């Protein structure tokens, strides 16, 4: 069993920055791919960013490329999402997710989810 807990959400003005954190516990994460998704009210859960734990290769949604950075600290079992130049359309609940090896962009591919953290960007 894997447990994921997100933190770091909040209210920020457009153009500002936030860093989300995801603490993982339970089984070893040496082979897991980790990702961030987001879901705005009335919309589907969308892929934001992902990285392979072992090799560190990263993938981003086009809408956040160049503004968001996903990273991890293996020793601490932490995953981060640094969000810069935030826009009102980035407002959503952000979820951390984990799956067996191999990056995926579909939420159905991920086995473990955190409870989510709210990010609100005001204009």
């Amino acid at each position: 069993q894997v447990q994921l807990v997100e933190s770091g959400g909040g209210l920020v003005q457009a153009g500002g920055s936030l860093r989300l954190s995801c603490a993982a516990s339970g089984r070893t994460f040496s082979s897991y791919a980790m990702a961030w998704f987001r879901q705005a009210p009335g919309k589907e859960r969308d892929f934001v960013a992902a990285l392979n734990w072992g090799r560190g290769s990263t993938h981003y949604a086009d809408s956040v490329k160049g503004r968001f950075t996903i990273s991890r600290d293996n020793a601490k079992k932490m995953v981060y999402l640094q969000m810069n130049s935030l826009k009102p359309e980035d407002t959503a609940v952000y979820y951390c997710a984990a799956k067996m090896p191999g990056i995926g962009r579909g939420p159905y591919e991920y086995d473990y989810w955190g409870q989510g953290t709210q990010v609100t960007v005001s204009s």
Side-chain angles (χ1 to χ4, degrees):
Q1 190 69 19
V2 173
Q3 294 83 38
L4 303 172
V5 179
E6 304 97 334
S7 61
L11 174 64
V12 64
Q13 289 187 334
S17 298
L18 280 175
R19 189 177 82 154
L20 304 183
S21 299
C22 174
S25 61
R27 299 173 63 181
T28 179
F29 277 83
S30 60
S31 299
Y32 276 71
M34 302 295 296
W36 289 94
F37 287 81
R38 66 186 181 186
Q39 188 167 20
K43 295 188 177 182
E44 296 183 348
R45 191 167 296 188
D46 291 331
F47 171 79
V48 175
L51 82 166
N52 261 328
W53 199 266
R55 297 183 179 180
S57 59
T58 57
H59 295 253
Y60 295 94
D62 289 342
S63 59
V64 307
K65 200 171 294 183
R67 300 188 298 124
F68 291 10
T69 303
I70 188 171
S71 62
R72 89 283 195 207
D73 184 326
N74 291 352
K76 295 182 178 179
K77 292 187 177 180
M78 295 290 294
V79 179
Y80 305 101
L81 184 67
Q82 178 66 44
M83 305 185 295
N84 298 328
S85 302
L86 282 162
K87 305 175 181 179
E89 51 264 42
D90 294 319
T91 296
V93 176
Y94 283 71
Y95 296 92
C96 178
K99 66 181 293 291
M100 290 303 289
I103 287 179
R105 291 179 176 243
Y108 55 88
E109 299 180 65
Y110 287 78
D111 302 307
Y112 303 100
W113 293 87
Q115 82 289 349
T117 185
Q118 176 71 47
V119 172
T120 302
V121 184
S122 62
S123 57

